[in-house]
């Protein structure tokens, strides 16, 4: 990998300062991330303040919008305690764990448990080992400063 901008898909999955709600998809339905061109990916979760324990789980789907076929990826989840304020975690998955035989190729992170407007996290998606480079970054990726 020579640089992040060309070789790693980086996507912000929620807006800073927006409270989590039970059942939130990060990114939201209709914006699920296509991982068919990646070998590995991870969600990086920066926990803000939590009053409620929250489970973060990676889900897969056959489209970018939540369909009746959406399902969790086995083992790709973590419970974050209400006392884990200002900690961060990653959930990493290899593309081989996606049900590609049944046309699953989109992923999202689902938050379960937050109960009010006082539970916060900032979520980023990282995808690497692309099958084709350079990767196409999302439109909100504003700057790539490289001192190489």
């Amino acid at each position: 990998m020579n640089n992040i901008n060309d070789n790693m898909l980086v996507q912000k999955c929620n807006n800073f300062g927006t409270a989590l709600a039970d059942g939130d998809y990060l990114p939201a339905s209709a914006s699920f991330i296509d991982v068919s061109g990646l070998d590995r990916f991870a969600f990086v979760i920066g926990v803000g303040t939590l009053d409620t324990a929250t489970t973060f789980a990676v889900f897969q789907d056959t489209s970018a919008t939540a369909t009746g076929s959406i399902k969790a990826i086995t083992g790709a989840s973590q419970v974050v305690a209400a006392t884990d304020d200002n900690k961060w975690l990653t959930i990493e998955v290899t593309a081989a764990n996606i049900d590609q035989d049944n046309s699953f190729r989109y992923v999202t992170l689902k938050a379960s448990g937050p109960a009010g407007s006082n539970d916060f996290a900032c979520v980023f998606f990282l995808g690497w080992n692309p099958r084709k480079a350079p990767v196409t970054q999302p439109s909100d990726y504003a700057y790539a400063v490289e001192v190489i």
Side-chain angles (χ1 to χ4, degrees):
M1 183 162 83
N2 295 328
N3 62 22
I4 290 173
N5 185 56
D6 292 334
N7 296 286
M8 179 179 286
L9 176 60
V10 179
Q11 184 169 330
K12 184 171 66 87
C13 296
N14 66 333
N15 290 327
F16 299 119
T18 302
L20 298 172
D22 187 40
D24 274 355
Y25 290 119
L26 309 164
S29 181
S31 299
F32 293 176
I33 301 164
D34 184 350
V35 296
S36 61
L38 302 169
D39 286 336
R40 299 178 78 88
F41 63 90
F43 286 93
V44 179
I45 305 154
V47 178
T49 55
L50 293 178
D51 285 346
T52 311
T54 301
T55 300
F56 292 100
V58 181
F59 276 70
Q60 59 185 323
D61 206 332
T62 56
S63 78
T65 302
T67 67
S69 60
I70 191 168
K71 62 183 178 179
I73 297 174
T74 303
S77 66
Q78 179 62 49
V79 177
V80 178
T83 56
D84 282 340
D85 293 357
N86 299 312
K87 294 183 180 178
W88 65 282
L89 66 135
T90 57
I91 302 175
E92 184 176 336
V93 179
T94 59
N97 288 296
I98 303 272
D99 185 4
Q100 297 169 355
D101 291 341
N102 290 307
S103 300
F104 284 81
R105 63 184 243 197
Y106 295 89
V107 297
T108 187
L109 186 73
K110 186 175 184 179
S112 300
S117 60
N118 51 0
D119 295 309
F120 297 90
C122 182
V123 177
F124 279 86
F125 172 90
L126 304 176
W128 61 96
N129 290 343
R131 293 186 183 104
K132 182 180 175 186
V135 297
T136 302
Q137 299 293 354
S139 62
D140 61 352
Y141 187 138
Y143 308 101
V145 177
E146 299 170 357
V147 182
I148 300 174

